[in-house]
Amino acid sequence: HLAHLTKLPGGILPRTSFVVKFIIVFTFIFTTACSLGSGNYANKTHHSKNKNLGGKNYSQSPTAKWRPTKKNTIPYVSNARVKKWVKLFNGRLKPSFRKWVHRIGKYGPIIEQVLEDEGAPKDLIYLSMIESGFNLQARSHAAAVGPWQFISSTGKIYGLRNSFYTDDRQDLIKSTKAAARHLKDLHKIYKDWYLAFSAYNAGPGTVNRAIRRLHKRDYWKLSSARSRYFRQETKDYVPKFLAAMHIVKNYRKYGYSDKSFGSPIEFDRV
């Protein structure tokens, strides 16, 4: 009907009508895409009902406070490299780490639910902690995005859509599912969580090359100070993970209290 009303004799459409039609069509497409998109979470002041998120109803009540589990589901090692990061997280980096501790209280319950449903160790939550500090909008210099810092290509392998209108890498539920599956796949390859973490950070090719050239499968030897096969970021990756896990699991020892953990966030998809 719009075309009929704006059409001039001879079938020529005026420039202004074209602009109007373009705006209407663009608005319709944008609105539809936004309504279909997922991954945007909004705080709510009232208790939200269970929502179907990826085939399962997940809910997160603000009254259910998150606290770390004492039992380790990822092996813990204490050495000089781990202690270095414990000291940094309690010194120069403590302002940032304090924010991470607050956020783990907000997002921890739902992340651990998803990890458990995926059959992954709950302690993987500390990988998200060192990757992004649980910042859903985090973006790295390498264009890795979201709480688990997926690059676009790896995210797509695990079903995370990335378009102009939506980015599933910022979706807490979907990205946690993808990270759990990716990390489980890497663990199946290396039979070792530390090597799996290294591959998550640097890529399997880097880890495979280091193993092949050094004829070793021990993360601590592959990532030693003399090793030239891992970048410093990857050499620090597991120590940072272990330090973060240790501090949070022993939070009172490091000056934190129950009030340091934020209240679980209530969310809905818009």
Side-chain angles (χ1 to χ4, degrees):
H1 296 299
L2 179 63
H4 175 73
L5 291 173
T6 59
K7 211 169 187 181
L8 292 176
I12 301 173
L13 194 64
R15 183 183 300 272
T16 53
S17 297
F18 175 79
V19 172
V20 171
K21 290 179 68 177
F22 176 82
I23 293 173
I24 292 172
V25 172
F26 179 83
T27 302
F28 173 78
I29 294 172
F30 181 80
T31 304
T32 303
C34 288
S35 68
L36 292 175
S38 60
N40 297 319
Y41 293 87
N43 289 332
K44 301 181 73 177
T45 56
H46 61 280
H47 181 67
S48 61
K49 296 181 180 179
N50 288 356
K51 298 292 182 182
N52 188 287
L53 305 174
K56 178 181 173 64
N57 291 327
Y58 288 97
S59 63
Q60 189 165 266
S61 170
T63 60
K65 304 297 183 183
W66 183 89
R67 296 294 179 270
T69 57
K70 285 293 183 182
K71 181 180 178 181
N72 293 331
T73 56
I74 299 291
Y76 176 73
V77 172
S78 179
N79 57 32
R81 290 166 62 184
V82 175
K83 290 176 182 178
K84 167 194 167 185
W85 280 98
V86 170
K87 184 177 180 180
L88 283 170
F89 284 147
N90 281 284
R92 178 167 55 87
L93 301 178
K94 189 161 188 174
S96 295
F97 198 83
R98 189 181 291 114
K99 293 178 182 178
W100 301 356
V101 170
H102 178 76
R103 289 175 188 156
I104 200 173
K106 294 173 64 177
Y107 301 119
I110 198 68
I111 291 175
E112 287 190 344
Q113 282 185 53
V114 175
L115 291 173
E116 186 175 23
D117 289 344
E118 293 295 324
K122 286 185 177 181
D123 283 348
L124 292 181
I125 191 173
Y126 300 105
L127 205 69
S128 179
M129 188 177 208
I130 66 166
E131 279 283 359
S132 67
F134 304 109
N135 180 358
L136 304 188
Q137 282 74 47
R139 180 180 293 271
S140 76
H141 61 86
V145 172
W148 294 93
Q149 289 292 278
F150 274 102
I151 60 172
S152 181
S153 57
T154 305
K156 288 178 180 178
I157 292 173
Y158 289 90
L160 298 178
R161 296 177 302 164
N162 175 19
S163 70
F164 179 79
Y165 300 108
T166 186
D167 193 338
D168 287 343
R169 294 175 296 174
Q170 295 176 318
D171 183 306
L172 187 62
I173 305 297
K174 292 181 179 180
S175 65
T176 301
K177 284 185 175 184
R181 293 170 187 178
H182 184 29
L183 286 161
K184 284 171 61 183
D185 286 345
L186 293 171
H187 185 258
K188 287 177 184 177
I189 294 171
Y190 298 106
K191 312 298 182 187
D192 181 279
W193 281 113
Y194 297 171
L195 293 180
F197 293 167
S198 300
Y200 187 89
N201 175 253
T206 298
V207 176
N208 294 344
R209 184 164 53 253
I211 292 172
R212 186 170 60 251
R213 294 183 179 179
L214 294 178
H215 305 288
K216 292 179 173 55
R217 296 183 63 86
D218 184 323
Y219 166 79
W220 299 106
K221 293 179 180 178
L222 293 173
S223 63
S224 69
R226 292 182 297 177
S227 172
R228 54 191 177 88
Y229 299 109
F230 285 176
R231 295 174 301 166
Q232 191 60 46
E233 178 185 337
T234 306
K235 291 180 179 182
D236 288 335
Y237 198 66
V238 171
K240 286 171 67 176
F241 168 87
L242 294 173
M245 182 172 76
H246 173 72
I247 293 170
V248 176
K249 285 178 180 284
N250 300 276
Y251 61 94
R252 288 190 177 90
K253 176 182 176 181
Y254 293 98
Y256 296 97
S257 68
D258 290 345
K259 294 181 180 180
S260 300
F261 300 104
S263 296
I265 190 172
E266 290 185 280
F267 57 86
D268 201 349
R269 299 195 169 204
V270 295

